[in-house]
Amino acid sequence: MSESIFGIHAAALELRSQRMGLIASNIANAGTPGYKARDIDFAAALKAHMGGANTDGAASTATRYRVPVMPSLDGNTVEMATEQTAFAENAVGYSATLSFIRGRIDTLSRAMKGD
Amino acid sequence: MNLFDVAQRAMSAQLVRMNAAASNLANAGSVTGSEGEAYRPMRPVFAEELDQSTGLATVRVAGVYRSEATPEKRYDPGNPLADAEGNVFEAPVDENAEMVEMLESARQYQNMVEALQTAKQLMLETMRMK
């Protein structure tokens, strides 16, 4: 149902939301020794979803460990600048997807109301 | 576990860290009459806590450890706390290290708050969609 109305945007929103959680986990673990930062390769996840995987499966197959620019002595690979930009980029993507969905809803409700 | 749990626990962990640094700073310069009694700086160690079902990872304080640094022995016979040889033992607190620790902790706390704010905003926008 939601698939036919919203097209790819429903899955995209769910993936964006999962990615947001993952990046927030990285930010939360900025001071944890030995923590390895992870991120979802959004394009790969969306491709996997279009290939038939459900969103959870697509997100987990597209999850990658972050390669640090400069490894730190305690084994933590969280770099604040990287995480912040990734978080911001993801938030903008989430907003964009949300406006696509909103546009779709507006179109449908206008068609139903008939004005 | 959801994003709010992640942020809340991360902020609590940073608060523990900040309190430890504050305690260390407060005890800088405190003296005792024996080496064993001297204040040893505290340092919390964080550990990752992964929630398998959601894939989110939050933080927990794995423990608060006491520094192994030896207290500084100082000859001060006039001090009422001095031992038989006239020595007092000063807490081995490195003020600069504690200040850096505090700054780093505050910065990480701030980052978490900012991320939480953005996430909350997006969630609210999603909910208000008509």
Side-chain angles (χ1 to χ4, degrees):
Chain A
M1 174 69 178
S2 70
E3 195 84 338
S4 59
I5 296 174
F6 300 123
I8 200 168
H9 302 304
L13 194 72
E14 209 168 313
L15 284 172
R16 286 283 183 208
S17 158
Q18 290 205 8
R19 185 164 178 231
M20 186 160 68
L22 210 56
I23 299 173
S25 302
N26 291 345
I27 295 175
N29 279 288
T32 310
Y35 177 82
K36 304 291 176 224
R38 292 169 302 152
D39 196 1
I40 292 175
D41 182 346
F42 186 74
L46 209 55
K47 199 173 272 177
H49 177 73
M50 285 195 294
N54 63 351
T55 38
D56 278 350
S60 56
T61 52
T63 302
R64 312 260 187 273
Y65 283 109
R66 179 105 60 218
V67 180
V69 181
M70 271 186 87
S72 67
L73 216 53
D74 64 355
N76 186 306
T77 61
V78 178
E79 278 164 345
M80 264 308 161
T82 317
E83 300 306 330
Q84 274 179 330
T85 39
F87 194 88
E89 187 257 333
N90 191 58
V92 171
Y94 188 103
S95 268
T97 303
L98 211 54
S99 14
F100 281 125
I101 290 177
R102 193 175 288 139
R104 202 61 68 89
I105 291 173
D106 282 350
T107 311
L108 283 174
S109 56
R110 204 167 299 147
M112 282 189 277
K113 277 189 220 149
D115 53 19
Chain B
M1 199 194 305
N2 60 26
L3 214 146
F4 292 98
D5 293 321
V6 172
Q8 188 244 318
R9 291 192 201 181
M11 281 149 72
S12 306
Q14 294 298 345
L15 213 61
V16 170
R17 189 176 170 195
M18 222 182 279
N19 277 331
S23 305
N24 294 344
L25 276 175
N27 280 287
S30 67
V31 292
T32 46
S34 75
E35 195 172 333
E37 277 175 62
Y39 178 85
R40 309 290 165 104
M42 291 186 282
R43 186 74 71 224
V45 173
F46 295 164
E48 175 193 3
E49 200 167 279
L50 182 69
D51 184 26
Q52 290 289 354
S53 57
T54 54
L56 296 174
T58 186
V59 200
R60 98 191 128 80
V61 179
V64 179
Y65 297 97
R66 293 278 183 171
S67 151
E68 304 275 294
T70 45
E72 205 180 312
K73 193 162 92 173
R74 201 176 67 221
Y75 184 63
D76 186 7
N79 197 311
L81 288 172
D83 63 3
E85 283 110 53
N87 291 320
V88 289
F89 296 87
E90 200 174 322
V93 177
D94 182 351
E95 280 101 337
N96 295 317
E98 298 305 332
M99 284 314 287
V100 169
E101 180 83 2
M102 222 171 202
L103 275 177
E104 197 187 4
S105 178
R107 191 58 72 82
Q108 286 174 3
Y109 187 99
Q110 239 168 18
N111 272 320
M112 198 68 247
V113 171
E114 215 129 303
L116 181 64
Q117 249 166 10
T118 312
K120 188 194 76 181
Q121 193 70 37
L122 289 173
M123 283 178 191
L124 283 176
E125 265 175 51
T126 315
M127 277 203 297
R128 289 206 192 104
M129 221 165 37
K130 46 173 186 187

